[in-house]
Amino acid sequence: MAAKIGMMDSAYFVGRGEILAWINSTLQLNLSKVEEAASGAVQCQLMDAVHPGVVPMHKVNFDAKNEYEMIQNYKVLQEVFNRLKITKHIEVSKLVKGRPLDNLEFMQWMKRYCDSINGGIINNYNPMERRDACKGGKEANKRTAPTHASKSASAAPKAQASHSTRKNDAHSANASHKTAKPATNAGGQAYDEQITELKLLVDSLEKERDFYFAKLRDIEILCQSPEIEHLPIVGVIQKILYATDDSPSIMAEAQAVLMQPQNQQQPLSPILETSEEKPKQETQKRKNISTIEVDMAASSTLSPRQRLSDISDVHYCGSPLTNC
């Protein structure tokens, strides 16, 4: 079932408030922020709630504050995943940082998985008793208990005040003060929600920024390759990358380069022309030298008969009896 939970699943559209209400009601905690579950202990107990006896709760640390302590909790969670053959990847390095977006996504997945087990119904599970076996579990239970006690203590004076017959200015002032305080708390909670939503928005924008920056960096490195850096289109791309304003002339120049014929020859620079003339001159010299060598070889390879005929001609012409 865990493998079927994709990124576009409806589980990833569950709000932060619903996730917190689900955690607090299931485990009897009083978390106010999703990132408070970054230690991994809450995730371990959620798996213990849906799979009783699978999680070694004595290895879970609810008092983990350092990263190495949190990593130990996630190791326990990973062992549980391996035992249950759950292929979900746990990004421990991101979760232990306490970033709201990463922890929210993982808790959304946890809720979707727990709801898929027995329809999300958890019977005969005592979360506070199970936390007693954990390191720091008793302290976590103590932090939870005063909250419920304060709620019951605040409910008792309200019931007595409703049945009281004496009404004076002091009582009315106290009543107005009590009614104003929840309004202030509600306003503070609303501000906290807005701050959390803004943090989530900033995190998502930072991820998107880093993604596109990496793409632009790859393009820049590719344009600096010696094989293609002399191409006109590469120069235009670099101008677009390094442009400081949205100038329309840059795009017009890019389109003009694309419209040029692909087989158009580029003009050679004077340096290239000079370098090409030198081989031509050297080739001509080699041809002249080879011609002279051929002539000398031809004269040296005459037959003996031809050489005698030449000698006889000289002798006859040099005789006093004959006239040349």
Side-chain angles (χ1 to χ4, degrees), residues 14-149:
V14 179
R16 182 185 64 89
E18 184 177 350
I19 293 294
L20 285 173
W22 170 68
I23 295 173
N24 291 333
S25 62
T26 304
L27 304 181
Q28 295 182 12
L29 293 172
N30 58 346
L31 301 182
S32 59
K33 299 178 181 179
V34 178
E35 52 267 30
E36 291 180 10
S39 65
V42 172
Q43 292 87 331
C44 290
Q45 190 168 13
L46 287 172
M47 295 300 295
D48 181 68
V50 295
H51 297 287
V54 177
V55 181
M57 293 297 292
H58 63 280
K59 295 183 179 180
V60 180
N61 185 2
F62 269 87
D63 196 28
K65 294 181 176 60
N66 299 318
E67 287 191 7
Y68 69 90
E69 295 175 334
M70 298 178 184
I71 291 173
Q72 294 299 322
N73 288 337
Y74 284 107
K75 285 184 178 180
V76 175
L77 184 63
Q78 186 64 61
E79 291 176 359
V80 173
F81 279 12
N82 295 338
R83 187 178 304 176
L84 297 174
K85 297 182 180 180
I86 299 175
T87 59
K88 170 66 176 176
H89 176 64
I90 304 175
E91 297 181 348
V92 180
S93 59
K94 293 182 178 180
L95 294 175
V96 296
K97 299 296 183 182
R99 300 180 65 177
L101 183 60
D102 297 323
N103 283 274
L104 177 61
E105 289 180 354
F106 190 69
M107 294 309 301
Q108 287 172 337
W109 181 91
M110 288 291 300
K111 185 178 186 304
R112 180 68 176 86
Y113 176 79
C114 293
D115 290 343
S116 65
I117 305 299
N118 298 327
I121 300 174
I122 301 175
N123 296 322
N124 301 324
Y125 183 75
N126 190 341
M128 299 183 69
E129 182 180 354
R130 292 291 293 169
R131 272 198 301 272
D132 287 340
C134 304
K135 182 180 179 181
K138 294 181 179 180
E139 288 75 8
N141 291 337
K142 290 178 181 179
R143 290 193 297 267
T144 307
T147 305
H148 296 287

Side-chain angles (χ1 to χ4, degrees), residues 8 13 21 24 40 50 53 65 73 91 184 199 227 229 239 259-260 280 292 303 309 317:
M8 296 306 295
F13 297 95
N24 291 333
V50 295
K65 294 181 176 60
N73 288 337
E91 297 181 348
T184 305
K199 287 182 179 179
E227 295 81 4
E229 63 178 354
K239 287 184 179 180
M259 294 299 294
Q260 290 180 358
K280 291 181 180 180
I292 295 172
S303 62
S309 62
C317 291

Side-chain angles (χ1 to χ4, degrees), residues 272-289:
L272 293 177
E273 290 178 356
T274 305
S275 61
E276 288 183 358
E277 288 178 357
K278 289 182 179 180
K280 291 181 180 180
Q281 294 176 358
E282 302 231 350
T283 305
Q284 187 65 29
K285 289 180 180 180
R286 291 175 182 173
K287 289 183 179 180
N288 295 335
I289 294 172

